[in-house]
Amino acid sequence: MSLNKFERQLQLMLLLTQNRKYPIEEIGEKLGLSSRSIYRYLDFFEEYGFKVEKNKSGIYRLDKESEFFKRITELIHFTEDEAITLKKILEGIPNKTIAINHLLSKLSRLYDLNLMENIISDEQFAKNQQALYQAVKEGRQCLFKGYNSSNSSTTSDRLVEPFAFTAGNTEVRAFEVYAKVNKTYKITRIGEVVVLQTNWDFRPFHKKAYTDAFHFSGDNLIPVKLRLDRFATNLLKEEIILQEDELIPDGEEHWIYNTQICNVKGIGRFIMGLSNHIQIIENQELKDFIKEEMLKGLASI
C-alpha cells in the first residue's frame, strides 16, 4: 500500500469519526476520492475490525465502540483530560519553539479543547464531566442516574440531551426528554452519567440559558428601559458591567439605560434602593414587582 493511499485512508477515518456528518459526495470532494474508492476503503475498514454504520440518509460513520477502534485510541490518542493538561503545560512555556507551536496546533485540530477547560480532581465528578464532554461533542443522549434535585427534593434518573457547559464547567445545560424542557444541571448532583448510543432527537429545542447584568439567569431575556439621574448612573456604573450603547445621555443630568434582564428581582432591588433617582420607562412586569414589594414592606411596619 502506498503512503499516499494510507494517508487518504487515515483522513477518511478521521472524517467518519467526527461529530459532523458528511455524505459520500462531500467526503469525495474533501479527500479527492471517487465514490468507488470510498466504498472500497469502507470494505477494508470492516475487514480489519471496524464497525461501519449507515443511516437512512446514506451517511456513513465509524462506530467508536468498535473493539479495534478502542485499541487504536488507547495506543495513539490522548484522553481529553490528557490533551487539556498537555495544552496547559505547552502554553505555559516561554519562548515557544516552532515544534511546540506545531504541537499546540495539532492538539487544537484533534480535540475541542475550548469546550471543557477545567478538570476537577474528584474522581466521580471527573468521570461525569468527561462523559458529558463526550456526549456534547458527539451529540448523544445521556442518562443521569440518581440526580439529586434541590427543587423537588427527590433523587431520580433523567433522560437528557446535554449540549453546553456553564459556570466554569461545573454545570451542564441539557434538554430533558420526557419533560420537554431545558434545564441547567449541577454535575456534582449527578450520581452517574451514562452516555447512550442514541443521537440527539430534539436539537431544535435546545436553548441556552442567559445571565443578566444583575446575576440572574433564565431561558429568556426581557427588555427594560430606565431613566436615571447622575447619582443612580454613577452607582450603576460601579455595581455592574455595562455593555456598549446601553447607557445614553438624556440631557446634562440624566441617562437612559436600555438593557435586557432574565428576572425582575435583581434590577428591581437595585431600583428600590434608589426609588427617587430612577424612573421606569418600559416594562410593566418590573413596575408591578416593585409596587408589590413596597406594599409588602409597608404591611410589615
Side-chain angles (χ1 to χ4, degrees), residues 11-18 27 42 45 60-62:
Q11 289 174 340
L12 176 60
M13 189 179 295
L14 285 173
L15 280 178
L16 293 176
T17 53
Q18 291 180 1
I27 291 174
L42 291 175
F45 292 158
Y60 287 85
R61 288 181 57 82
L62 287 181

Side-chain angles (χ1 to χ4, degrees), residues 100-288:
I100 290 174
N101 286 325
H102 187 55
L103 182 54
L104 281 168
S105 178
K106 278 188 173 182
L107 287 171
S108 296
R109 289 199 303 272
L110 289 171
Y111 303 92
D112 189 358
L113 301 179
N114 292 323
L115 183 60
M116 185 176 71
E117 297 177 350
N118 302 315
I119 301 298
I120 297 180
S121 59
D122 179 80
E123 185 176 354
Q124 188 57 50
F125 183 97
K127 286 181 180 178
N128 287 342
Q129 201 177 45
Q130 183 65 29
L132 286 166
Y133 173 82
Q134 177 191 347
V136 172
K137 186 176 181 181
E138 297 179 4
R140 302 289 185 101
Q141 289 186 351
C142 285
L143 181 65
F144 288 177
K145 298 183 75 173
Y147 184 77
N148 185 6
S149 172
S150 61
N151 292 327
S152 61
S153 299
T154 59
T155 300
S156 60
D157 295 346
R158 310 286 181 93
L159 179 62
V160 302
E161 295 184 356
F163 56 87
F165 287 94
T166 63
N169 303 318
T170 62
E171 298 177 352
V172 66
R173 188 75 173 161
F175 181 83
E176 191 167 320
V177 173
Y178 295 127
K180 299 292 189 296
V181 293
N182 291 288
K183 294 182 180 180
T184 301
Y185 296 89
K186 291 187 179 296
I187 300 176
T188 53
R189 294 180 183 169
I190 306 172
E192 181 185 359
V193 176
V194 179
V195 181
L196 306 177
Q197 293 302 308
T198 313
N199 293 327
W200 289 341
D201 285 331
F202 301 94
R203 183 193 292 267
F205 300 99
H206 295 179
K207 192 173 183 181
K208 68 178 183 179
Y210 300 96
T211 301
D212 63 27
F214 298 89
H215 309 293
F216 275 78
S217 298
D219 293 342
N220 301 296
L221 291 172
I222 309 165
V224 169
K225 186 174 183 180
L226 308 177
R227 186 171 187 263
L228 301 84
D229 66 12
R230 183 178 296 275
F231 180 74
T233 300
N234 289 336
L235 285 178
L236 183 71
K237 290 178 179 179
E238 292 171 3
E239 292 191 13
I240 70 165
I241 299 174
L242 292 168
Q243 302 298 317
E244 187 177 359
D245 298 331
E246 278 190 326
L247 202 60
I248 303 169
D250 184 32
E252 295 184 0
E253 294 296 323
H254 290 85
W255 284 261
I256 300 297
Y257 178 44
N258 284 289
T259 190
Q260 292 181 308
I261 59 171
C262 298
N263 193 304
V264 295
K265 291 181 180 179
I267 195 170
R269 290 166 185 167
F270 176 80
I271 294 171
M272 285 188 288
L274 298 162
S275 57
N276 294 330
H277 302 269
I278 300 175
Q279 175 191 0
I280 302 172
I281 299 176
E282 292 180 11
N283 195 293
Q284 189 59 45
E285 183 184 356
L286 178 58
K287 292 179 180 179
D288 293 341

Side-chain angles (χ1 to χ4, degrees), residues 15 20-33 38 59:
L15 280 178
R20 182 177 172 185
K21 301 175 182 178
Y22 299 96
I24 291 293
E25 294 76 14
E26 190 172 349
I27 291 174
E29 291 177 4
K30 284 181 173 293
L31 303 183
L33 293 172
I38 294 172
I59 303 296

Side-chain angles (χ1 to χ4, degrees), residues 11-111:
Q11 289 174 340
L12 176 60
M13 189 179 295
L14 285 173
L15 280 178
L16 293 176
T17 53
Q18 291 180 1
N19 192 33
R20 182 177 172 185
K21 301 175 182 178
Y22 299 96
I24 291 293
E25 294 76 14
E26 190 172 349
I27 291 174
E29 291 177 4
K30 284 181 173 293
L31 303 183
L33 293 172
S34 66
S35 297
R36 182 178 178 182
S37 294
I38 294 172
Y39 290 127
R40 189 170 66 250
Y41 289 161
L42 291 175
D43 290 339
F44 174 79
F45 292 158
E46 285 188 314
E47 288 176 11
Y48 279 83
F50 290 95
K51 294 179 183 177
V52 179
E53 297 178 340
K54 178 186 177 183
N55 67 15
K56 294 179 181 178
S57 302
I59 303 296
Y60 287 85
R61 288 181 57 82
L62 287 181
D63 186 352
K64 294 183 180 180
E65 296 302 313
S66 304
E67 189 61 34
F68 191 67
F69 189 97
K70 288 181 178 179
R71 292 205 302 271
I72 290 180
T73 301
E74 290 172 358
L75 287 171
I76 65 174
H77 279 260
F78 296 113
T79 66
E80 307 293 349
D81 295 8
E82 291 168 342
I84 291 167
T85 301
L86 182 58
K87 176 175 178 284
K88 289 181 178 179
I89 292 172
L90 293 173
E91 287 179 337
I93 297 175
N95 304 319
K96 294 180 180 61
T97 64
I98 293 175
I100 290 174
N101 286 325
H102 187 55
L103 182 54
L104 281 168
S105 178
K106 278 188 173 182
L107 287 171
S108 296
R109 289 199 303 272
L110 289 171
Y111 303 92

